[in-house]
Amino acid sequence: MIIFLLFDLPNDPKTLYELALSEFNNKNYKQAEKILKRIIYSFSPNEWTDKAQFYLALLYYERKNYELAKIEAEFFVNNFKYSEFYPRGLILLAKIYYKLSPNPHKDISELNKAIEILNRVKTLYPSYSQSADSIMFLIRKKFAQKILISANVYRNIEKPKSEAIYLEYYLNNYIDIEPDSVAYRLLEIYETLNEKEKIINLTELILKGDNFSSWVKKIALEKRDKYGYRSDRR
């Protein structure tokens, strides 16, 4: 690693940018930060300013300093809309909002901001849809977790009907996110409440679905044998 003092740095933004990128790629983040700030603050806005601003936000993200990353990424998104890095800046900002929402049960404002950004990306920049979808899936997992936390509250106070409402909502909206234990618990609740119609409907959903594991499909078969097919009751 080469250690640069401020007065050792080149006086050309293009050379500085190339040097900063090299330091960044080598994970020499302190050196990269110093050089990027030199580009941003020591020169008039030029063709390298937006790139330096993007990488400064990304640098803080890589260092897990999400609050600083948020400040720099928001500045980039608000001021460099015509940058070639702009779609990547939107994706980065959504990832930062996701990281700043460790507990969706308490506050989902940052997650909602991330969703709004990702929907913009998918509309305006279709080539980035796959990246947007991967982050959206992580966000949906957090919302799914929130539903399970609420369901567990009612389970602990032995309110199965209320618990079932949350678990049904889960399967209706997050069936692609680890649905096995949710479906199994719902079958237990329906049996406890003697909800035979709901048992039959759920077993059909499980047996036809691609998101369920073999173990829960086996249980669904057993329940179907016990309670009958939908066609048996026509």
Side-chain angles (χ1 to χ4, degrees):
M1 179 179 70
I2 301 174
I3 304 297
F4 293 98
L5 298 175
L6 192 59
F7 52 78
D8 292 328
L9 293 172
N11 199 34
D12 167 46
K14 178 180 183 296
T15 304
L16 284 170
Y17 175 74
E18 293 172 347
L19 184 59
L21 202 56
S22 175
E23 295 291 333
F24 178 90
N25 290 334
N26 288 321
K27 301 186 186 301
N28 300 326
Y29 294 134
K30 287 186 178 181
Q31 290 298 312
E33 178 185 8
K34 179 167 62 176
I35 300 168
L36 291 169
K37 286 183 175 179
R38 175 72 178 270
I39 297 170
I40 295 168
Y41 299 122
S42 297
F43 297 90
S44 299
N46 58 76
E47 63 180 302
W48 309 103
T49 307
D50 62 308
K51 301 173 181 64
Q53 182 64 45
F54 169 79
Y55 271 102
L56 185 61
L58 182 59
L59 182 150
Y60 289 132
Y61 177 84
E62 294 295 335
R63 290 169 62 177
K64 296 182 170 54
N65 190 336
Y66 300 124
E67 290 293 345
L68 269 181
K70 174 184 173 182
I71 292 171
E72 300 297 346
E74 287 180 337
F75 184 86
F76 174 84
V77 167
N78 290 332
N79 292 277
F80 297 101
K81 289 181 170 58
Y82 300 103
S83 169
E84 63 182 292
F85 284 82
Y86 191 69
R88 292 175 62 187
L90 290 172
I91 292 285
L92 175 61
L93 186 55
K95 289 167 68 176
I96 292 167
Y97 287 145
Y98 168 77
K99 291 292 187 179
L100 288 172
S101 302
N103 189 344
H105 199 64
K106 292 183 178 179
D107 184 8
I108 61 171
S109 59
E110 301 286 11
L111 291 178
N112 284 333
K113 290 179 184 177
I115 291 171
E116 180 181 354
I117 289 173
L118 294 172
N119 285 331
R120 282 175 59 197
V121 169
K122 293 177 69 173
T123 300
L124 298 174
Y125 308 99
S127 61
Y128 288 85
S129 290
Q130 186 174 354
S131 296
D133 285 339
S134 65
I135 304 168
M136 192 76 81
F137 181 75
L138 295 176
I139 293 172
R140 291 181 66 249
K141 286 185 74 172
K142 284 200 172 186
F143 280 120
Q145 177 190 8
K146 180 180 179 181
I147 298 301
L148 292 182
I149 290 172
S150 298
N152 198 50
V153 169
Y154 288 105
R155 182 173 186 173
N156 290 337
I157 61 175
E158 299 181 355
K159 298 286 186 180
K161 288 186 178 180
S162 297
E163 181 188 355
I165 290 173
Y166 282 95
L167 298 181
E168 288 165 352
Y169 181 87
Y170 186 103
L171 287 185
N172 285 332
N173 293 275
Y174 304 105
I175 196 170
D176 57 322
I177 302 175
E178 302 174 0
D180 292 344
S181 59
V182 175
Y184 177 70
R185 176 57 184 161
L186 268 176
L187 286 172
E188 287 186 325
I189 293 173
Y190 291 157
E191 280 200 303
T192 299
L193 299 175
N194 198 30
E195 297 273 8
K196 294 181 181 179
E197 176 76 21
K198 289 186 175 182
I199 293 173
I200 294 169
N201 290 341
L202 181 52
T203 57
E204 289 186 354
L205 176 67
I206 294 169
L207 293 172
K208 292 178 180 178
D210 297 327
N211 297 299
F212 297 96
S213 301
S214 57
W215 70 268
V216 78
K217 284 181 178 288
K218 180 180 178 181
I219 292 171
L221 280 171
E222 294 171 355
K223 301 300 182 187
R224 191 177 70 175
D225 290 341
K226 180 177 179 180
Y227 292 100
Y229 297 81
R230 179 185 295 278
S231 58
D232 292 341
R233 303 171 332 103
R234 289 176 181 171

